[in-house]
Amino acid sequence: MPPEETNEKRMRVLIINTSENIGGAAIAANRLMEALKNNGVKAKMLVRDKRTDQITVASLPQSPLLKAKFVWERVCIWKANRFKKHNLFQVDLANTGTDITALPEFKEADVIHLHWINQGFLSLKDIRRIIDSGKPIVWTMHDQWPFTGICHYSGECTKYQTECHHCPLLLHGGGTHDLSAKVFRRKRQMLRGAHIIFVACSRWLEGLARQSALLVGQEVASIPNTINANIFHPMEQVKVRLQCNLPIDKKLLLFGSLKATDPRKGIDYLMEACRILKEKHPELAARVGIVVVGNRADQIRALFPFPVYAIDYVSDEKQMARLYNAVDAYVTPSLEDNLPNTIVEALSCGIPCVGFNVGGIPEMIDHRRNGYLAEARNAEDLAEGIHFTLETAPWEELSAHAVHSALAHYGETNVASKYIAIYKRASEKR
């Protein structure tokens, strides 16, 4: 056995994420752990919110303080916004958390791999303790928070390129010394003298990160999320439709989100696109249906001109794979997104995708080859993309290209090997 392979098998990586499997970052982190394990790395996860009995996932010692820390951070944001719920979950302060450096999982790890650590899991002081431990650190960025003051997505604001203040996500636009300014300065202090390799899940996010004043002098790379093709693969459509209690005589679109009504996920644009589609092609009224998956999905049933099949949020991957295979196209009208797991999942199942030309989505949807890339915030073009995918395009060709692109870019071995190289580079910096 080559020495290099032996060294790789001995590498112990601790993946740190707030949740085990709820939310896009958690799903991506969990899949990476499995991909690393399948490629010779002893990978474990450390989470605050554990939901399974997976032995390679450890959780913080349970205590009422864990929930209290989450609540305290929200209270601080609520107070700063003059007791309004304005963007309460669009920002994070990392002003409270848990010191994990004394945990056995941390001590035995060769590499510390941070992912999404917000909502009271790790504070800035806790992250500094990890830095001071001397262990190699890799930080995968699932949104902009690691390089902004307090926001997960900055929208049109570019203040993070110099220094955050007058945050548009705070009531009345914040101020010169608002929370965003204070946390930005604390992050700058936290990162002083640190050697962290920051990894973006998309080239789009990598480009934004390189512009941040916080990451000057830090290494920034880009590696996509991975997919388990043993779960997400093409299946017989009629069979899975019957299993999912969906009609077999309609062309079905799928929209999915943790919360179906989240404005950032663009549900309003999908509704408008469907209205345009029905107006231009009235014959589709009896032939098209919309499958909406996510919390509060039932609340929007009456807002579509086509029949809606509402399904609560699905955490079981096998059931989600069946739902992808039950539809003819996946529509993701997100207004701002990094590298959505949902697109990777749909493509891997051979389902063409329709989405806006924003964030990392253009890196995933190859226009008119595995789906349709619509002009950002253009409901009419989104409608055109849906019609193209359902009615005019050679669907079998789109499907074949979808599977090929998913395996080529997001396969476990490909992604794991890139991270192993990053881990080695991070270890060499020490």
Side-chain angles (χ1 to χ4, degrees), residues 140-142 199-209 220-225 337-340 358-361 363-364:
T140 291
M141 303 177 289
H142 295 276
V199 179
C201 299
S202 66
R203 294 189 298 275
W204 166 76
L205 191 66
E206 177 190 10
L208 297 183
V220 181
S222 174
I223 302 175
N225 298 330
D337 226 325
N338 183 12
L339 195 90
V358 298
I361 293 175
E363 301 169 34
M364 311 173 78

Side-chain angles (χ1 to χ4, degrees), residues 213-225:
L214 286 175
L215 301 192
V216 172
Q218 302 287 355
E219 181 178 347
V220 181
S222 174
I223 302 175
N225 298 330

Side-chain angles (χ1 to χ4, degrees), residues 95-116:
N95 61 343
T96 183
T98 301
D99 179 9
I100 65 171
T101 57
L103 297 177
E105 293 82 8
F106 184 92
K107 290 183 175 180
E108 71 181 15
D110 300 314
V111 177
I112 304 301
H113 191 166
L114 302 176
H115 283 255
W116 201 88

Side-chain angles (χ1 to χ4, degrees), residues 143-396:
D143 55 35
Q144 293 179 248
W145 187 85
F147 59 84
T148 67
I150 59 176
C151 69
H152 291 284
Y153 287 96
S154 65
E156 297 180 358
C157 176
T158 58
K159 293 186 180 72
Y160 65 88
Q161 295 178 7
T162 51
E163 184 170 350
C164 288
H165 57 85
H166 290 91
C167 180
L169 293 180
L170 297 176
L171 196 65
H172 305 308
T176 305
H177 302 290
D178 63 13
L179 278 179
S180 71
K182 292 176 181 177
V183 177
F184 191 93
R185 289 193 291 269
R186 290 171 188 159
K187 283 186 176 179
R188 178 176 280 157
Q189 181 66 30
M190 175 193 77
L191 291 170
R192 185 163 296 167
H195 298 284
I196 300 174
I197 298 181
F198 288 86
V199 179
C201 299
S202 66
R203 294 189 298 275
W204 166 76
L205 191 66
E206 177 190 10
L208 297 183
R210 290 183 182 279
Q211 298 176 53
S212 173
L214 286 175
L215 301 192
V216 172
Q218 302 287 355
E219 181 178 347
V220 181
S222 174
I223 302 175
N225 298 330
T226 189
I227 188 71
N228 184 344
N230 292 321
I231 294 177
F232 294 95
H233 57 82
M235 304 177 195
E236 184 185 341
Q237 188 183 83
V238 172
K239 180 179 179 180
V240 292
R241 282 195 182 187
L242 291 173
Q243 291 173 344
C244 298
N245 295 315
L246 294 170
I248 61 174
D249 60 343
K250 291 184 181 294
K251 292 195 173 182
L252 297 178
L253 302 173
L254 173 64
F255 169 85
S257 174
L258 179 60
K259 185 171 74 172
T261 55
D262 184 352
R264 188 172 62 83
K265 295 300 183 179
I267 189 69
D268 291 341
Y269 285 91
L270 178 56
M271 293 175 187
E272 179 61 23
C274 288
R275 286 191 283 267
I276 294 171
L277 202 59
K278 184 179 179 182
E279 182 179 327
K280 286 188 173 182
H281 307 279
E283 73 280 4
L284 294 181
R287 293 168 45 208
V288 172
I290 315 291
V291 180
V292 179
V293 178
N295 296 327
R296 304 185 183 178
D298 200 51
Q299 296 180 10
I300 56 180
R301 186 191 299 271
L303 302 178
F304 282 90
F306 303 127
V308 170
Y309 308 93
I311 300 172
D312 286 338
Y313 177 76
V314 176
S315 59
D316 181 78
E317 290 192 330
K318 292 182 179 179
Q319 174 62 11
M320 201 62 226
R322 285 190 286 269
L323 285 169
Y324 285 117
N325 276 282
V327 304
D328 299 284
Y330 177 70
V331 185
T332 176
S334 288
L335 308 182
E336 196 172 26
D337 226 325
N338 183 12
L339 195 90
N341 290 320
T342 51
I343 296 181
V344 181
E345 292 164 357
L347 293 176
S348 191
C349 291
I351 303 305
C353 297
V354 181
F356 284 141
N357 188 0
V358 298
I361 293 175
E363 301 169 34
M364 311 173 78
I365 298 178
D366 190 357
H367 187 51
R368 293 180 177 266
R369 284 180 59 80
N370 64 8
Y372 189 98
L373 203 58
E375 181 183 347
R377 297 175 184 262
N378 186 330
E380 189 164 350
D381 199 20
L382 190 67
E384 175 61 28
I386 294 171
H387 186 263
F388 166 81
T389 306
L390 294 184
E391 296 290 307
T392 63
W395 193 90
E396 290 77 11

Side-chain angles (χ1 to χ4, degrees), residues 21-152:
N21 57 10
I22 299 297
I27 292 169
N30 204 301
R31 287 176 183 166
L32 176 61
M33 175 184 69
E34 295 300 327
L36 291 170
K37 284 165 27 179
N38 292 337
N39 284 272
V41 174
K42 295 181 179 179
K44 289 185 177 181
M45 275 186 79
L46 175 65
V47 302
R48 184 191 65 191
D49 305 328
K50 181 173 179 176
R51 295 177 176 270
T52 73
D53 57 1
Q54 169 65 266
I55 60 173
T56 54
V57 178
S59 63
L60 295 181
Q62 294 305 298
S63 163
L65 285 176
L66 294 180
K67 187 172 184 179
K69 290 172 181 178
F70 164 75
V71 172
W72 172 245
E73 185 180 39
R74 297 308 110 186
V75 167
C76 292
I77 298 167
W78 180 56
K79 181 180 177 183
N81 267 333
R82 302 179 188 179
F83 307 105
K84 303 287 185 181
K85 293 183 179 179
H86 185 69
N87 293 324
L88 187 59
F89 289 93
Q90 309 307 313
V91 301
D92 272 291
L93 311 182
N95 61 343
T96 183
T98 301
D99 179 9
I100 65 171
T101 57
L103 297 177
E105 293 82 8
F106 184 92
K107 290 183 175 180
E108 71 181 15
D110 300 314
V111 177
I112 304 301
H113 191 166
L114 302 176
H115 283 255
W116 201 88
I117 44 74
N118 298 116
Q119 297 191 353
F121 182 22
L122 296 183
S123 70
L124 299 184
K125 289 183 179 179
D126 296 325
I127 298 173
R128 185 66 215 190
R129 290 188 183 102
I130 294 172
I131 294 169
D132 290 340
S133 74
K135 289 182 179 285
I137 302 171
V138 175
W139 192 341
T140 291
M141 303 177 289
H142 295 276
D143 55 35
Q144 293 179 248
W145 187 85
F147 59 84
T148 67
I150 59 176
C151 69
H152 291 284

